[in-house]
Amino acid sequence: MAIIPKLEIRQSQSLLMTPQLRQAINLLQLSNLELNDLIDQELENNPLLEKEELETNIIDNPDTSEEDFQADFNIDEQFDDSGYDQTEYGQIDANSWEAYNLSKSKRNEEDYDFIEERISSKETLQEKIEQQIRIKFKKKQDCFVASYLSQFLDGAGYFRGDLQQISEQLKTSKHYIEKILKQTKEFEPTGIFAQNLSECLQLQLQEKKIFNKKYAVLLQNLDILAEKKYKTLAKLCQCSETEIINLIKNIKELNPKPTADYNIASPQYIIPDVFVKQDKYGQYYVEMNNSSLPRLIINMEYAQNIQNKSKEKQVKSFIKEKIKSAQFLTKSLHQRAASILVVSSEIVKAQYEFFEKGINYLKPLSLKDIAERTEMHESTISRVTTNKYMHTPIGIFELKYFFSQAGTTFDGETQTSTTSIKHLLKKLIDEESPKEILSDDKLVEEMAKRGIQIARRTITKYREALKIPSSSQRKREKRNSLT
């Protein structure tokens, strides 16, 4: 008997992400330098796009209206997550948002949230550091200062900031800044935040639990070590040359550049996206940095001339496509500028006392708080505050530094990165008592107390990835170390 396949008709919904939509979302998280690179690339690829040389506002060509463009490519349907009514700001210069009335924001966040879940991003060094900050520090001020200190890391992971200047900027004591810096030196990769090579190597030796007075002498005499004067070193360390060679062998296995594998160097120059200024009444207000990005215009006259002279459908189709692409880019830039200005303004309002009195008056602030004030989605706030800088009367800060609530609290609903879980796992094991070694099951319980739901097999997997022995093996090792 033949089997007849059953045919069914099902209706389902799906959201297709166009390249333009991906570009618009990506623009939100780009820094000024990255955005300038993208604009230069678009200028090369699109003959209709030009940089505006004159100090004039952008005026669309009267031959092509916004309605004509919308008829072919409805940007509201393609990108209704913009957060602002497109008809309100479509003709406004991207660098003139301080003149725009931002009270007319509109949002449709359900689709945006759907989109954000489908855009993955590789963890950067800064994200790794931020995860560890949230685990290490409980107080909002400590989180803020630690994040601010990370701005002074060079490409190798060394701290190059001036502690006195930083304490003056943040209106707090140098001793407090030194205290936070000392704690950041416990971060991974080991050796990060060290202030010189000797300290970097010492931190790694301490992690291996082999650091002693002989190593201390060697690290204090790296110049002699570089000259391979083993007899001199042996005399200083009060040991044999053979032992010195073994000590040096261990030092050579260390990493003098902890963050070199990330291929990330701190920027030499930070271009602020916004300026925070005070008016004559002492009130703070925010302005966009008009000089940080070029103004773009669409040469509609050139496009019209090509279309009039050419009868080929391919040429007309090409011009039409480039017009759409240029229109979408300028609108996306408008949206990006508006989002940065709105979010920055709300941050300044929320942290007014910080600007007036210093770090001790930094208020708890979450992405959700700003999202509610601006009627944006939290994922949008996260992207807007990444790699965006604010020039203030007391220094330059990344926007995300002002979000300092719940540094180490995990509520079970917030997604925690693999890095933070591994770091907490290592911390729990490092702090375990020799008389009470934590089994993998016990580690699951400890994680649950901190709001992290994780399976036992995952704990085992992460422990093995960190090259941490099993509980029985650790128990033997720690007992032997006591005898």
Side-chain angles (χ1 to χ4, degrees):
M1 180 176 178
I3 299 176
I4 302 175
K6 184 178 180 181
L7 301 178
E8 294 182 351
I9 299 177
R10 295 181 180 179
Q11 186 177 11
S12 62
Q13 291 183 337
S14 63
L15 179 62
L16 298 178
M17 291 191 63
T18 65
Q20 293 91 344
L21 183 52
R22 285 184 179 274
Q23 181 193 62
I25 296 175
N26 186 49
L27 287 180
L28 287 175
Q29 63 184 7
L30 294 182
S31 66
N32 273 347
L33 293 176
E34 292 170 331
L35 188 57
N36 268 300
D37 291 340
L38 183 144
I39 290 174
D40 288 339
Q41 184 178 351
E42 290 295 326
L43 287 167
E44 290 180 7
N45 297 334
N46 194 334
L48 303 184
L49 268 179
E50 296 178 358
K51 287 184 180 180
E52 186 181 24
E53 302 296 339
L54 300 177
E55 294 295 328
T56 57
N57 291 329
I58 297 175
I59 301 175
D60 287 344
N61 189 293
D63 293 334
T64 302
S65 65
E66 178 71 13
E67 288 73 18
D68 293 334
F69 172 71
Q70 291 286 355
D72 291 328
F73 189 76
N74 192 317
I75 195 167
D76 286 329
E77 293 180 1
Q78 291 288 334
F79 190 34
D80 55 8
D81 310 279
S82 60
Y84 303 94
D85 188 345
Q86 300 283 355
T87 59
E88 288 290 336
Y89 73 87
Q91 310 298 325
I92 297 178
D93 186 281
N95 294 316
S96 301
W97 277 107
E98 60 267 28
Y100 180 62
N101 182 357
L102 297 168
S103 63
K104 300 181 179 180
S105 59
K106 299 180 179 180
R107 297 209 52 86
N108 181 354
E109 291 299 344
E110 294 181 1
D111 291 339
Y112 192 92
D113 187 46
F114 182 86
I115 293 167
E116 288 288 342
E117 292 296 323
R118 283 152 182 76
I119 296 183
S120 61
S121 59
K122 187 178 180 180
E123 185 183 50
T124 64
L125 173 63
Q126 189 62 36
E127 290 170 341
K128 183 181 180 72
I129 293 172
E130 290 298 327
Q131 290 287 352
Q132 295 178 80
I133 288 173
R134 288 193 287 273
I135 295 171
K136 182 70 176 176
F137 300 103
K138 295 181 180 180
K139 295 182 179 179
K140 58 184 182 296
Q141 298 99 316
D142 297 347
C143 290
F144 183 94
V145 172
S147 293
Y148 188 63
L149 293 179
S150 68
Q151 178 180 317
F152 297 92
L153 295 177
D154 66 10
Y158 291 89
F159 177 77
R160 301 301 187 189
D162 186 310
L163 296 179
Q164 184 61 42
Q165 289 183 1
I166 292 173
S167 64
E168 291 174 358
Q169 278 188 324
L170 300 181
K171 300 180 182 179
T172 187
S173 69
K174 182 180 176 181
H175 174 73
Y176 171 61
I177 300 298
E178 290 173 339
K179 175 186 172 184
I180 299 299
L181 179 61
K182 182 179 179 181
Q183 291 177 283
T184 60
K185 292 175 182 179
E186 300 175 7
F187 287 178
E188 295 179 356
T190 308
I192 194 172
F193 282 98
Q195 293 171 276
N196 52 56
L197 177 59
S198 296
E199 185 179 25
C200 177
L201 299 178
Q202 178 179 329
L203 290 170
Q204 295 177 55
L205 290 169
Q206 288 173 337
E207 185 195 37
K208 292 176 177 289
K209 298 181 179 179
I210 60 174
F211 182 74
N212 55 35
K213 292 182 179 180
K214 295 176 183 178
Y215 279 116
V217 173
L218 283 176
L219 296 182
Q220 290 171 4
N221 295 277
L222 290 178
D223 53 338
I224 300 177
L225 177 60
E227 296 175 1
K228 298 183 179 180
K229 295 181 179 179
Y230 299 145
K231 288 184 178 180
T232 304
L233 291 172
K235 186 176 181 180
L236 290 171
C237 294
Q238 299 179 354
C239 64
S240 65
E241 286 187 48
T242 302
E243 188 175 357
I244 285 295
I245 292 173
N246 289 331
L247 295 175
I248 294 173
K249 182 181 178 181
N250 289 335
I251 290 177
K252 286 182 177 180
E253 294 176 354
L254 305 177
N255 186 359
K257 299 180 179 180
T259 61
D261 292 340
Y262 288 87
N263 195 27
I264 297 175
S266 57
Q268 295 181 344
Y269 302 101
I270 294 176
I271 302 176
D273 296 82
V274 294
F275 293 101
V276 177
K277 299 180 180 180
Q278 281 183 295
D279 59 22
K280 61 181 181 180
Y281 302 107
Q283 298 298 315
Y284 291 100
Y285 64 97
V286 180
E287 286 184 353
M288 291 298 297
N289 184 358
N290 294 340
S291 62
S292 62
L293 293 172
R295 297 185 180 186
L296 298 180
I297 59 173
I298 304 172
N299 193 333
M300 296 304 302
E301 183 178 355
Y302 177 54
Q304 193 68 45
N305 289 337
I306 294 178
Q307 286 184 324
N308 292 339
K309 292 179 181 179
S310 177
K311 297 181 180 180
E312 295 184 15
K313 290 185 178 180
Q314 289 183 342
V315 174
K316 292 182 178 292
S317 177
F318 174 81
I319 294 300
K320 185 177 181 181
E321 178 186 346
K322 292 304 178 182
I323 291 175
K324 290 179 180 179
S325 176
Q327 290 271 15
F328 201 100
L329 176 62
T330 55
K331 289 177 181 291
S332 298
L333 290 173
H334 291 163
Q335 174 228 331
R336 177 184 181 275
S339 300
I340 293 173
L341 187 66
V342 173
V343 171
S344 300
S345 299
E346 291 301 329
I347 289 174
V348 172
K349 290 178 184 177
Q351 302 292 3
Y352 177 82
E353 286 191 280
F354 163 77
F355 292 106
E356 286 287 297
K357 303 177 182 178
I359 185 65
N360 293 330
Y361 293 87
L362 185 71
K363 291 183 177 180
L365 189 66
S366 66
L367 296 176
K368 184 178 179 181
D369 294 333
I370 298 297
E372 291 176 351
R373 297 184 187 193
T374 59
E375 300 182 23
M376 298 182 186
H377 194 273
E378 287 183 50
S379 56
T380 308
I381 305 299
S382 177
R383 288 182 179 273
V384 168
T385 54
T386 300
N387 295 323
K388 309 300 184 306
Y389 290 87
M390 175 186 290
H391 187 284
T392 75
I394 61 174
I396 297 178
F397 302 93
E398 192 171 358
L399 296 186
K400 67 176 181 178
Y401 290 166
F402 295 97
F403 297 93
S404 53
Q405 183 171 341
T408 59
T409 301
F410 297 96
D411 56 11
E413 297 178 358
T414 305
Q415 290 190 3
T416 309
S417 76
T418 301
T419 301
S420 62
I421 294 176
K422 286 182 178 179
H423 188 270
L424 179 58
L425 176 63
K426 185 175 183 300
K427 182 180 179 183
L428 289 171
I429 292 175
D430 287 343
E431 295 176 354
E432 67 185 357
S433 169
K435 297 181 180 180
E436 189 177 352
I437 301 299
L438 300 174
S439 65
D440 288 353
D441 287 325
K442 187 66 176 177
L443 287 167
V444 171
E445 295 177 10
E446 292 297 322
M447 290 286 187
K449 291 178 182 179
R450 291 158 176 79
I452 301 175
Q453 302 300 321
I454 188 170
R456 182 186 181 280
R457 62 179 179 274
T458 308
I459 288 287
T460 304
K461 176 183 174 182
Y462 289 169
R463 179 175 53 75
E464 291 174 350
L466 293 168
K467 297 181 181 180
I468 297 175
S470 64
S471 58
S472 58
Q473 189 175 347
R474 296 200 311 276
K475 190 173 184 178
R476 287 195 299 270
E477 291 177 353
K478 293 193 176 185
R479 279 181 177 176
N480 293 335
S481 65
L482 295 175
T483 58

